[in-house]
Amino acid sequence: MADSAETITAATKKSVEATTAQVKASAEKVQAQTEKFQAAGAQAFREGVDKSVASLTEINDLGKKNLEAMVESATAAQRGVESLSQHAMAFSKKSFEDSVAAAQSMAQARSVQELLELQTNWAKSATEAYLAGVTKMTDVMTASVKDSFKPINERVTASVEKFQAAR
């Protein structure tokens, strides 16, 4: 019986050692896999944060460029309004001066015939000056609108190209 107890003890000891070795090996495998999953999770988290920061930076940059385009557009529109005002003032001043000069020359007319000729010439030149002024103002207005919309159109084009490239 003593031999059988020793054999059972030895077998149990051997079984416990084998089981302990298996548990230890399994624990090491689980620990290695856990570390691998943690590293992969940490890497995925870092990549997600990096992508989010890059996206936020890109959105911030787009917002800044859009704001700059709006300011540039408003500045161009203001320059256009100033130019239109200057042309309108110059036209009004010249028209007034021409009208005064025509009135003075008509006042010195010696006959009704001469008065009608002076009045006809003045009306013709006033109409031509008016049409030239309107043409000039139209050109200034067209250029102003074009200059005002240019920065915004450039931003829209850049955004459309970016969205198309992302698809």
Side-chain angles (χ1 to χ4, degrees):
M1 257 230 220
D3 278 340
S4 317
E6 283 179 18
T7 306
I8 292 175
T9 303
T12 304
K13 187 177 179 182
K14 208 179 214 186
S15 176
V16 167
E17 287 174 356
T19 303
T20 303
Q22 284 179 344
V23 167
K24 192 175 183 180
S26 292
E28 288 174 357
K29 285 181 182 178
V30 167
Q31 184 176 358
Q33 282 206 319
T34 302
E35 288 173 0
K36 188 177 178 182
F37 286 138
Q38 285 177 339
Q43 178 67 26
F45 180 76
R46 273 193 301 273
E47 288 174 0
V49 168
D50 289 345
K51 286 180 181 178
S52 294
V53 168
S55 294
L56 289 174
T57 302
E58 186 175 345
I59 289 169
N60 186 31
D61 186 47
L62 287 173
K64 182 180 174 186
K65 288 179 180 177
N66 289 343
L67 181 62
E68 288 171 352
M70 292 298 290
V71 168
E72 188 177 339
S73 177
T75 302
Q78 181 181 1
R79 281 193 306 263
V81 169
E82 289 172 359
S83 181
L84 282 171
S85 295
Q86 289 171 353
H87 286 293
M89 290 298 287
F91 176 78
S92 295
K93 182 180 176 186
K94 175 117 172 62
S95 178
F96 178 75
E97 290 171 353
D98 290 348
S99 296
V100 169
Q104 288 174 346
S105 78
M106 284 185 235
Q108 296 174 358
R110 295 190 181 124
S111 67
V112 173
Q113 180 66 29
E114 185 180 350
L115 176 64
L116 289 175
E117 286 177 18
L118 289 171
Q119 186 178 19
T120 302
N121 290 337
W122 173 78
K124 182 180 176 187
S125 67
T127 302
E128 289 171 355
Y130 174 76
L131 292 175
V134 168
T135 301
K136 190 172 189 177
M137 298 277 279
T138 302
D139 292 344
V140 168
M141 178 70 115
T142 302
S144 175
V145 169
K146 183 179 175 184
D147 291 345
S148 295
F149 280 105
K150 183 180 178 195
I152 294 171
N153 286 339
E154 288 172 354
R155 291 303 311 142
V156 168
T157 300
S159 295
V160 167
E161 288 173 357
K162 186 157 195 76
F163 288 130
Q164 286 179 344
R167 291 198 298 163

